[in-house]
Amino acid sequence: MLICPIEDMNTTTGKAILHFSFMLGITALITSCMIYPFLPGAYDDLAVALSNMAQASGVVGLMLVPIGITWLMYAIWRQKRSRQNRPIKMREHYFALAAVVITSFDIAAIAFIGVVSTGWSLGLATLLTWLYIVSRLIPKIKLLRASEDPRFNLIPLYLIFTPIAVLLLQILLATPLTKASRDHAIATSAELINAIEAYRTSNGYYPTSLLATWPDYSPDVVGIEQYHYMAQGDSYNLFFQQPRFLLDDIGVREFVVYNPLDEHMMISHTSWILLLRPAELRRSQGWYAVRHDPTPHWRYFWFD
């Protein structure tokens, strides 16, 4: 999770509104990255990776919540002591340092998700960005250690609010956004399916392949690259890979498949196609669950 630069903060209404707006802004930015692959639009090859990293931040960021709560309780206690004109030894820099250390572990986990999703470049860029932020935070923590300012520190609220808000939004948005993007890609496929059927009407058979430099028919979902076509006897399978939320059945890969004869095939491994007989392939395709979509002839398959 991101940590706001540590600075002197007033508890005036204006300052409170400013920081609350900043917390909402951070949450909105992370949420935007999280939902980006599920929105209508041209394909973006970084969208799924950014979404996975944003979602991971809401999970691993929960490690910051206990620090934020403890820091907040300490800040309230310090305010009380200050009003009583009792001596106070400043210890807030310990909480700030702990938050930086825990966030470093969180960033490492988020960078790992980036590496798994798209390769080393995004993960390395994330780590280097965080190292730069830490280099700017360390002097601030040293100033906090030397400070005797009794004013209330709002930083703990960031550590509590942001990860919880991101996680809750992830849970609430997962099902409707996944369904909406899947439905949109299915609806957009109508033009391609009509073209395939027109080809069969003209030629008496379905095309053997649609592989070409330019696919021409786009699913119009940011996180779905293209439709894939596979001829199958007197029929065919048209399919795409649906982006998923990390916590929505962890680790699942979803492929959404159209077959006009409802003889859907979605094979897990290329080697199976080469080594197994058609009857064996139909019995053992590799998926662990299948769901029938309300749209006729569409099903989606889940692979672990």
Side-chain angles (χ1 to χ4, degrees), residues 31 53 63-64 77 124 130 134 139 152 163 187 199 222-223 225 252 287-288 295 303:
T31 303
M53 295 170 73
M63 296 171 61
L64 290 170
W77 173 82
L124 184 59
W130 175 243
V134 169
F152 190 78
Y199 178 97
V222 173
E225 182 175 6
V252 69
W287 43 266
Y288 72 89
T295 307
F303 293 80

Side-chain angles (χ1 to χ4, degrees), residues 181-190 193 227 240 256 293 295 298:
S181 60
R182 183 195 299 123
D183 290 348
H184 185 72
I186 288 175
T188 306
S189 70
I193 291 173
Y227 298 112
F240 60 87
V256 186
D293 192 86
T295 307
W298 282 94

Side-chain angles (χ1 to χ4, degrees), residues 1-80:
M1 302 301 301
L2 296 176
I3 296 181
C4 177
I6 297 174
E7 59 182 1
D8 295 336
M9 299 182 183
N10 296 319
T11 55
T12 61
T13 301
K15 282 288 186 180
I17 292 174
L18 176 63
H19 284 282
F20 183 68
S21 299
F22 193 48
M23 282 187 281
L24 289 178
I26 293 174
T27 304
L29 177 61
I30 297 173
T31 303
S32 297
C33 292
M34 185 170 63
I35 68 174
Y36 182 42
F38 302 88
L39 301 179
Y43 174 70
D44 185 337
D45 56 3
L46 286 181
V48 172
L50 289 173
S51 177
N52 289 341
M53 295 170 73
Q55 293 174 58
S57 72
V59 177
V60 298
L62 292 178
M63 296 171 61
L64 290 170
V65 174
I67 294 294
I69 293 174
T70 307
W71 190 350
L72 181 63
M73 293 174 63
Y74 172 80
I76 294 172
W77 173 82
R78 187 170 62 83
Q79 281 279 296
K80 183 178 179 181

Side-chain angles (χ1 to χ4, degrees), residues 84-102:
Q84 296 172 349
N85 293 319
R86 300 172 69 177
I88 305 170
K89 186 175 181 180
M90 292 293 291
R91 300 185 184 275
E92 291 205 44
H93 62 284
Y94 290 122
F95 295 103
L97 185 59
V100 170
V101 171
I102 292 175

Side-chain angles (χ1 to χ4, degrees), residues 238-297:
L238 186 71
F239 64 93
F240 60 87
Q241 184 171 356
Q242 169 66 38
R244 301 276 300 190
F245 279 79
L246 291 179
L247 296 183
D248 188 7
D249 204 343
I250 297 174
V252 69
R253 297 178 68 194
E254 178 180 313
F255 291 86
V256 186
V257 185
Y258 172 86
N259 186 290
L261 300 181
D262 291 326
E263 298 175 349
H264 302 74
M265 291 282 285
M266 195 67 227
I267 311 301
S268 180
H269 294 278
T270 301
S271 61
W272 294 5
I273 299 173
L274 298 174
L275 298 174
L276 299 180
R277 296 177 180 178
E280 294 175 310
L281 274 177
R282 183 161 293 280
R283 289 194 303 267
S284 303
Q285 298 178 36
W287 43 266
Y288 72 89
V290 59
R291 300 288 184 271
H292 291 249
D293 192 86
T295 307
H297 309 303

